[in-house]
Amino acid sequence: MSSLLDAYEKIRAALKESCNTCRSDLIALSGGLDSTIVACLQREKPAAMTVIAKDFVSTDLTYCQLAAKETGLPLSIYSTDTTVMLEAVEETIKILGNFNDIEIRNSTVMYLAISWARENGYDSITTGDGADELFAGYDFMVNMPESKLTGEIERVCSVMHFSSQAIGKTLGVRVESPFLEDAVVEMALQIPAELKVKGKDGKRYGKWILRKTFEKDIPIQIVWRPKSPMQDGAGTTGLTGLFESLMDGEKFEEKRLAVRESDGVTIRSRESMYYYEAYKKTHGVPAKSLDTPCPYCGYGTDGSRFCRMCGAFPI
């Protein structure tokens, strides 16, 4: 990239072209940077929807209302109670085939969004998937030494996957993700890492170049909004406390020992126990790897420090 202006123009052009190829009439709008950029750039303005937990604290509501107002999109708020959310958890586990607590909390939000789309007559939905991977949006990247950041971005991009695709396929709803179009991915990987993470007002931000590119197009509160995982934005992070309250320590320890004895799986929390029991009903005991087994569940990790099956990290 010859200059910042050149970088801004290339990002804008690639994303605009990608967004304008979207055929969906609905966008999953969280009020975060990524989905708001997509909403801003789409030529044919879609409807918008967001998932908000009725019984837990959610951080997205004000932001998605602001984003919808500024981009002129009609917004539907899917307010879900705990019963619906727990049903969605079980269905998400069936589809994804793991009991990874972080992935389940986040992916349940997408399951609810895609289910809402289908029930309301939409055959597709647009998401902001991919921006965090391509533009260094994750907290662990923001605090990483610059000398290691380029390699880490490349590594993450080489293994990135999005549960929304599997959920959409299962539910018969097409998922469109403009950040994941080939031209956008190719362009993003050419941008130097030092433009993806930079400081502003004494604080380091991931996706810095993306924020600067659209600084004048979307509300400033959203441009410089810190990353908020889906589980926090929609409120599914409240499930952790719910499961803690539903099972006392003695009962959990009893179950934990029984699972370790019978299945060779070490469960790390009461929340994980709930997910594991749901997983086992459909998928049985996780297959054990002889080469690179996770020390907690035995599933193959391919040498990664993170287990995609049970969510253990670091291992």
Side-chain angles (χ1 to χ4, degrees):
M1 298 290 176
S2 59
S3 68
L4 273 178
L5 287 178
D6 184 40
Y8 297 158
E9 289 171 4
K10 289 189 176 185
I11 290 170
R12 181 182 293 278
L15 279 172
K16 188 170 185 178
E17 183 175 352
S18 180
C19 286
N20 284 335
T21 63
C22 289
R23 292 174 287 132
S24 177
D25 295 324
L26 181 68
I27 182 171
L29 185 67
S30 68
L33 178 69
D34 313 333
S35 62
T36 305
I37 288 173
V38 172
C40 171
L41 289 178
Q42 285 189 261
R43 181 186 297 118
E44 299 296 330
K45 293 302 183 184
M49 68 81 60
T50 193
V51 176
I52 298 293
K54 187 182 295 182
D55 302 323
F56 305 125
V57 174
S58 308
T59 60
D60 277 352
L61 182 57
T62 300
Y63 290 102
C64 67
Q65 289 173 322
L66 175 61
K69 179 181 178 182
E70 292 296 319
T71 55
L73 305 186
L75 175 66
S76 296
I77 298 171
Y78 183 20
S79 182
T80 59
D81 62 27
T82 301
T83 299
V84 170
M85 197 166 282
L86 290 176
E87 290 170 355
V89 163
E90 300 219 4
E91 292 303 315
T92 301
I93 290 170
K94 285 181 186 177
I95 294 169
L96 299 186
N98 67 55
F99 55 100
N100 174 342
D101 47 0
I102 296 174
E103 183 166 12
I104 298 305
R105 284 196 301 271
N106 283 301
S107 298
T108 294
V109 180
M110 285 312 305
Y111 176 87
L112 288 164
I114 294 170
S115 296
W116 186 94
R118 184 180 66 175
E119 291 164 7
N120 284 274
Y122 294 96
D123 63 5
S124 61
I125 189 169
T126 304
T127 75
D129 288 344
D132 286 317
E133 288 76 7
L134 291 167
F135 291 93
Y138 292 112
D139 288 345
F140 75 90
M141 291 179 169
V142 171
N143 297 313
M144 182 171 286
E146 195 172 279
S147 60
K148 296 182 178 180
L149 185 56
T150 298
E152 184 63 15
I153 293 171
E154 291 174 352
R155 185 195 69 79
V156 168
C157 288
S158 72
V159 299
M160 63 182 173
H161 79 293
F162 300 94
S163 59
S164 55
Q165 295 293 333
I167 294 167
K169 185 175 181 180
T170 300
L171 297 182
V173 175
R174 188 178 74 257
V175 176
E176 297 187 306
S177 303
F179 280 99
L180 295 176
E181 290 295 314
D182 289 344
V184 176
V185 172
E186 183 179 348
M187 172 276 302
L189 290 176
Q190 293 175 6
I191 296 173
E194 61 264 25
L195 294 182
K196 295 179 178 179
V197 177
K198 283 180 80 73
K200 179 183 182 296
D201 300 330
K203 181 176 179 180
R204 284 173 66 79
Y205 285 88
K207 298 188 286 196
W208 182 88
I209 187 69
L210 198 58
R211 298 175 193 271
K212 291 294 291 184
T213 299
F214 294 97
E215 193 172 32
K216 296 180 180 178
D217 299 281
I218 61 180
I220 200 70
Q221 302 96 312
I222 293 174
V223 171
W224 297 105
R225 182 186 177 188
K227 176 173 173 55
S228 178
M230 279 189 285
Q231 62 179 0
D232 295 337
T236 54
T237 190
L239 291 169
T240 302
L242 173 67
F243 294 127
E244 288 291 315
S245 69
L246 290 177
M247 189 186 305
D248 64 36
E250 185 176 340
K251 182 66 174 176
F252 168 63
E253 187 61 23
E254 180 183 313
K255 284 191 169 191
R256 194 173 75 88
L257 291 172
V259 168
R260 188 164 60 188
E261 179 69 25
S262 63
D263 303 342
V265 174
T266 299
I267 302 297
R268 295 168 291 108
S269 70
R270 280 169 263 199
E271 180 182 17
S272 294
M273 179 64 75
Y274 184 94
Y275 297 159
Y276 179 69
E277 290 177 339
Y279 168 89
K280 188 177 176 181
K281 280 191 295 186
T282 304
H283 300 284
V285 178
K288 301 295 190 287
S289 169
L290 296 178
D291 298 321
T292 56
C294 168
Y296 292 92
C297 70
Y299 192 75
T301 64
D302 293 327
S304 171
R305 298 180 68 212
F306 171 73
C307 178
R308 194 170 295 284
M309 174 61 69
C310 72
F313 177 83
I315 54 176

